[in-house]
Amino acid sequence: MRRLFPVTDVPDVTGVGSTDPKDPTLSTAPPHAWSIDELADAYPYPAEPADGPWLRANMVSTLDGAAQHEGRSQPISTDTDMRIFGTLRGLADVVVVGAETVRLEGYRPARAREAFAARREAAGQGPAPAIAVVSAGLDLDFSLPLFTAPLVPTLVITGAGAPSDRIHAAEQAGVTVVIAGEAAIVDPARAVRELADRGYRRLLTEGGPRMLGQFVAAGVLDELCLTVSPMVTSGDAQRIVGGLGLEVPERFSLASLLEEDGFLFARYLRD
């Protein structure tokens, strides 16, 4: 992997300079497989978010804008993309995901990883991030390991109008139910506040596109980590963000850009 932006090296016309080929800050250094520590350093959360929680999204898109192939993101991904996926999880307090994505991707509980143990302890985090599933109707199988055998209790975020029998089923399975909306529909901004009130300030969402569109429309997305896959799929696959369009496009600024085997790994921060 190599860093394309920001460019932190200066061309060495004297022949004297860094000779360490593993220095990830040198875009002229030979590509190498970055360590977990190098990846974690490349994707930092703000040390102390001044204005409350920080919500970042992690998505992958083909060159022609498809976020999935045959309903799943894995066919357009790569091993390095999955390492970054794991790194972002290793840094987060909670992973927020839509119910449809849970069903399609076969979500399982997040696991504790030794590579992140010291970082998480220093940040006052538990051994693994919690998973928070956003669902209006709670049409979920609460017998799955995501709900019955998580290292950290799974949360379900729903509205006050959700079916009472499904709320009861979730609670019987040991799931923490978070009410974030007056009707059945979840209010994205309130969901972020409710999670922050429970101590989850480093938020990561992995989709799907419809839920990410709701976060964008609510103005609560702070950061987008986007993998651009050098593939085309054609067809009518979803984009990374779905739902109603914004009246005025929202501007994000490029914070960093990495590259490996034609895949681009970008971080964008909201202006």
Side-chain angles (χ1 to χ4, degrees):
M1 182 179 289
R2 57 185 177 137
R3 187 190 302 276
L4 301 182
F5 180 84
V7 177
T8 56
D9 64 305
V10 177
D12 184 8
V13 297
T14 67
V16 178
S18 174
T19 59
D20 182 1
K22 294 186 177 181
D23 183 349
T25 67
L26 297 181
S27 61
T28 55
H32 73 285
W34 282 24
S35 69
I36 289 295
D37 281 337
E38 288 171 325
L39 287 175
D41 289 343
Y43 288 88
Y45 276 94
E48 290 292 338
D51 299 322
W54 185 270
L55 174 64
R56 68 169 26 154
N58 181 34
M59 301 293 284
V60 59
S61 171
T62 64
L63 296 177
D64 55 337
Q68 303 164 338
H69 180 64
E70 296 182 342
R72 301 179 64 240
S73 60
Q74 189 277 332
I76 63 174
S77 182
T78 181
D79 288 346
T80 298
D81 183 44
M82 295 309 298
R83 291 184 73 224
I84 292 174
F85 173 93
T87 298
L88 297 181
R89 279 194 164 201
L91 300 174
D93 295 335
V94 62
V95 178
V96 187
V97 63
E100 184 66 13
T101 298
V102 166
R103 290 187 285 265
L104 288 174
E105 302 281 356
Y107 261 61
R108 299 184 63 84
R111 58 189 178 89
R113 298 178 60 189
E114 182 61 31
F116 293 98
R119 284 180 182 266
R120 295 188 67 86
E121 183 177 1
Q125 297 171 301
I131 305 292
V133 183
V134 176
S135 176
L138 300 184
D139 182 19
L140 298 161
D141 183 355
F142 293 117
S143 68
L144 293 176
L146 175 62
F147 303 106
T148 62
L151 182 62
V152 179
T154 296
L155 302 92
V156 169
I157 305 175
T158 192
S164 58
D165 61 323
R166 299 306 298 159
I167 291 178
H168 179 71
E171 292 173 338
Q172 286 293 104
V175 176
T176 299
V177 177
V178 178
I179 302 299
E182 298 306 321
I185 304 301
V186 173
D187 177 342
R190 181 172 168 183
V192 170
R193 292 196 303 270
E194 291 287 346
L195 289 172
D197 288 345
R198 288 165 171 77
Y200 302 110
R201 297 175 60 83
R202 303 172 186 86
L203 283 67
L204 169 67
T205 178
E206 299 168 348
R210 182 171 57 181
M211 191 186 73
L212 181 53
Q214 294 170 350
F215 283 130
V216 169
V220 294
L221 182 67
D222 298 296
E223 177 181 345
L224 174 62
C225 299
L226 176 64
T227 295
V228 179
S229 170
M231 303 179 189
V232 293
T233 65
S234 190
D236 57 358
Q238 290 180 300
R239 297 162 52 187
I240 65 167
V241 181
L244 297 176
L246 298 177
E247 290 187 10
V248 179
E250 189 168 11
R251 178 66 183 262
F252 282 65
S253 295
L254 182 65
S256 68
L257 181 64
L258 310 176
E259 184 274 340
E260 184 177 271
D261 294 333
F263 284 79
L264 298 175
F265 308 97
R267 285 182 64 225
Y268 289 94
L269 306 182
R270 182 172 57 180
D271 284 352

